[in-house]
Amino acid sequence: MADYDTIFIGSGHATWHAAVTLAQAQQNVAIIEEDTIAGTCTNFGCDAKILLDGPFELTEQLKQYQGIGVNTSPTIDWAQLMAYKQQIIQPLAMQMTAIFKQLGITIITGHGELTDTHTVQVDTTKYTADNIVIGTGQRPAKLAIPGADLMHDSRDFLDLPTMPKRLTLIGAGIISLEFANMAVLLGSEVHIIEFADRALPAFYSKHVEKIMAHLQAAGVHFHFGEALSRVTQTATGLLATTKSGLSIVSDDIIVATGRIPNIEHLGLTTVGIETDRHGIIVDDHLRTTVSNIYASGDVISKRLPKLTPTATFESNYIAAQLLGNTAAIDYPVIPSVVFTLPRIAQVGVSVETAKSDTEHFHVQELPYGKLLAFQYQNEVDADLQLVFDQANYLVGAAIYGNGAPDLINLLTMLITDHVSANELSHKIFAFPSASVGIIDMLTPLLHHD
């Protein structure tokens, strides 16, 4: 008889939701974790980032009222803010551990490695289970260049006691742009070095251009088409040099050139689990090539966005599978948000796809910031692009504006539930809330039954 019904390797969102569900269903469950309980997002990623971002969002929103009632802006003390972050974020791992133990989940500390299809070894102890779920996530990619050890990653940035006066970010993706936004608003000299010819290629180009212009106006320097070749410690700071000869001296350099799956030293080849450079290969039930071993979250090789909500969805799905559900996984549309200032977000069919396929889609622009200035805090350049199919059902959206994270959730529900104008008109929403203005403008555009 196995020691456990299910063993989870990793304790982030990709696993713990399933572990809790199974424990509540009276299954005997264990979680193996070699780092910090609850994973990257909770301890070193999204939670810390959004906490630190909060004061920047508020001060930027106040600027929208400059000259029309607000004439001064508060300053942000990064050191105090970081101390507050430590106070709020550091206890989360202990709190989650207590919750898991209260539910009867066994916590095993150490590195887990498969020795056969039902056994995981931690140090010298072996644990057996009927089913195993791998949710080991990803880690920041490192550049194989001279001086790579002199640079830091996103986890380091979110723990900086003081903000560097001069900061260089490698890569022009989500992480770099979000960090650049905070640093430049604190007065840092910020440079971004990017090998490609544009930032955020997965997002609507017009919105990215507006974000770029906003960051450049704040003082961020972009260097596209540049490949970092080496980093050198000098008397005046860290010298970043590209292949073309561009040289930038900084106090700190953050590498944000992507993330790679944590698939090494797990015993995957020992038990015959197939992988590729994107992660563990799974079928439409999230099973690996070994039928009783599943993978969940960012460690999976997939084209879908590797986001916390996706990992949570997969974790919940696996729990249902282990409790008897036999349906293949069916992903709904997945929203993505970039927490720059302003924010940008998108979901479903992209604007570019719709504009290149006018036979099946059409796009409607709603400059809601101008039309609803009183509801959207005088953010007059806020913009919404709506994508409809031939029957006028909403199938995609892209948003530029501070309200994008909440608005994209609303639009995601409308897309997922295939909502018509008739259904919306039978609901009553709070007024004068921000979202109700979007609903009022959207309703006449939707399919009428």
Side-chain angles (χ1 to χ4, degrees), residues 124-310:
T124 58
T125 305
K126 292 183 177 182
Y127 304 91
T128 59
D130 295 329
N131 297 290
I132 297 169
V133 180
I134 302 170
T136 47
Q138 294 180 304
R139 65 183 183 276
K142 294 185 177 181
L143 296 176
I145 60 170
D149 59 321
L150 297 172
M151 300 185 287
H152 296 105
D153 59 29
S154 59
R155 182 166 171 171
D156 299 315
F157 179 92
L158 292 171
D159 215 22
L160 284 173
T162 58
M163 183 62 70
K165 294 294 184 183
R166 301 169 299 175
L167 177 68
T168 295
L169 296 133
I170 312 302
I174 293 175
I175 291 174
S176 282
L177 267 61
E178 291 179 349
F179 289 176
N181 219 149
M182 290 192 287
V184 77
L185 292 176
L186 287 175
S188 298
E189 177 188 322
V190 180
H191 292 263
I192 294 178
I193 298 173
E194 169 58 54
F195 178 74
D197 59 0
R198 62 162 289 190
L200 302 175
F203 286 81
Y204 178 43
S205 59
K206 299 299 182 184
H207 288 171
V208 175
E209 289 169 7
K210 291 173 75 171
I211 286 294
M212 290 274 296
H214 194 86
L215 289 170
Q216 287 172 323
V220 177
H221 305 277
F222 288 90
H223 309 277
F224 290 105
E226 296 284 355
L228 186 66
S229 60
R230 65 181 181 277
V231 174
T232 310
Q233 179 71 64
T234 71
T236 57
L238 295 173
L239 174 64
T241 306
T242 69
K243 288 183 179 179
S244 73
L246 173 71
S247 295
I248 300 170
V249 178
S250 307
D251 299 308
D252 202 349
I253 300 174
I254 304 295
V255 179
T257 54
R259 298 175 69 80
I260 57 177
N262 293 315
I263 55 177
E264 301 87 359
H265 312 299
L266 292 175
L268 302 183
T269 55
T270 300
V271 299
I273 291 176
E274 294 182 6
T275 64
D276 60 23
R277 67 187 185 91
H278 302 293
I280 296 174
I281 296 170
V282 296
D283 65 9
D284 60 1
H285 286 71
L286 301 188
R287 295 173 300 211
T288 68
T289 41
V290 177
S291 62
N292 70 297
I293 302 179
Y294 296 76
S296 177
D298 292 356
V299 77
I300 293 176
S301 175
K302 59 189 175 187
R303 297 179 63 86
L304 294 167
K306 292 191 174 186
L307 302 170
T308 296
T310 313

Side-chain angles (χ1 to χ4, degrees), residues 30-83:
I31 293 176
I32 297 172
E33 177 58 66
E34 64 177 312
D35 195 346
T36 306
I37 286 291
T40 296
C41 181
T42 301
N43 297 287
F44 318 112
C46 358
D47 289 5
K49 164 60 178 61
I50 202 64
L51 182 151
L52 292 170
D53 174 86
F56 294 93
E57 180 184 18
L58 293 173
T59 56
E60 284 298 283
Q61 288 174 336
L62 278 176
K63 291 178 182 178
Q64 294 162 195
Y65 289 95
Q66 288 290 323
I68 54 171
V70 174
N71 297 304
T72 58
S73 294
T75 57
I76 297 173
D77 186 314
W78 178 262
Q80 287 184 350
L81 182 59
M82 183 57 67

Side-chain angles (χ1 to χ4, degrees), residues 60 64 181 200 203-215 336-338 340-346 351 365-370 376 379-386 397-405 407-408 411 438:
E60 284 298 283
Q64 294 162 195
N181 219 149
L200 302 175
F203 286 81
Y204 178 43
S205 59
K206 299 299 182 184
H207 288 171
V208 175
E209 289 169 7
K210 291 173 75 171
I211 286 294
M212 290 274 296
H214 194 86
L215 289 170
S336 298
V337 182
V338 184
T340 46
L341 296 164
R343 322 302 202 183
I344 60 173
Q346 65 182 28
V351 176
E365 180 179 4
L366 290 180
Y368 69 92
K370 293 179 181 177
Y376 284 92
E379 190 184 8
V380 294
D381 59 347
D383 170 68
L384 171 60
Q385 303 283 328
L386 298 169
I399 309 174
Y400 173 95
N402 289 319
L407 286 177
I408 206 68
L411 298 177
I438 297 295

